[in-house]
């Protein structure tokens, strides 16, 4: 039985291939096909990560640059959330907390 994650991954790989094909066939700096392929790739990435989160409680070790989408959606300009350091939630722990985890599980 194929999971939704397998299907989302297949669509993500196809979106990467379409993006590369659009880049290789680019007809100038403002080629709409490249922009459309970029948007499709970003959507496929978001879908794949969402499915991973729902099915397995996992995330990916990379983030999309959402500045364009955030600026378009909130009308706030380039203000950044000071709490958002751009890291994956798995990378949000500080070294002291990680050291405590190692001590708790006697991994040293």
């Amino acid at each position: 039985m194929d999971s939704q994650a397998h299907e989302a991954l297949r669509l993500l790989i196809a979106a990467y291939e379409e993006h590369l094909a659009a880049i290789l066939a680019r007809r100038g700096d403002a080629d709409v096909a490249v922009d459309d392929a970029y948007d499709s790739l970003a959507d496929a990435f978001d879908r794949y990560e969402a499915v991973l989160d729902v099915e397995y409680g996992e995330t990916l070790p990379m983030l999309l640059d959402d500045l364009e989408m955030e600026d378009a959606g909130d009308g706030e300009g380039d203000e950044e959330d000071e709490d958002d350091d751009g890291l994956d939630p798995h990378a949000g722990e500080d070294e002291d907390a990680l050291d405590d985890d190692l001590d708790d599980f006697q991994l040293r």
Side-chain angles (χ1 to χ4, degrees), residues 49-105:
E49 186 168 45
V51 169
L52 285 180
D53 183 40
V54 169
E55 286 188 11
Y56 305 105
E58 289 294 330
T59 60
L60 296 173
M62 59 201 114
L63 299 173
L64 292 182
D65 181 10
D66 289 335
L67 292 178
E68 291 176 20
M69 289 184 261
E70 288 175 6
D71 288 346
D74 64 12
E76 297 280 328
D78 288 331
E79 293 179 28
E80 290 187 24
D81 183 13
E82 291 183 24
D83 293 333
D84 182 17
D85 56 8
L87 295 176
D88 178 52
H90 292 300
E93 294 187 54
D94 64 9
E95 288 184 30
D96 290 335
L98 293 174
D99 287 342
D100 292 344
D101 289 344
L102 292 175
D103 291 336
D104 290 344
F105 295 106

Side-chain angles (χ1 to χ4, degrees), residues 12-62:
L12 177 59
I13 291 168
Y16 272 113
E17 291 172 346
E18 290 172 15
H19 183 254
L20 178 58
I23 290 170
L24 295 174
R26 178 179 294 189
R27 293 175 290 235
D29 289 340
D31 191 340
V32 175
V34 175
D35 292 338
D36 290 345
Y38 176 92
D39 292 338
S40 295
L41 178 56
D43 290 342
F45 179 91
D46 285 339
R47 273 191 308 271
Y48 178 62
E49 186 168 45
V51 169
L52 285 180
D53 183 40
V54 169
E55 286 188 11
Y56 305 105
E58 289 294 330
T59 60
L60 296 173
M62 59 201 114

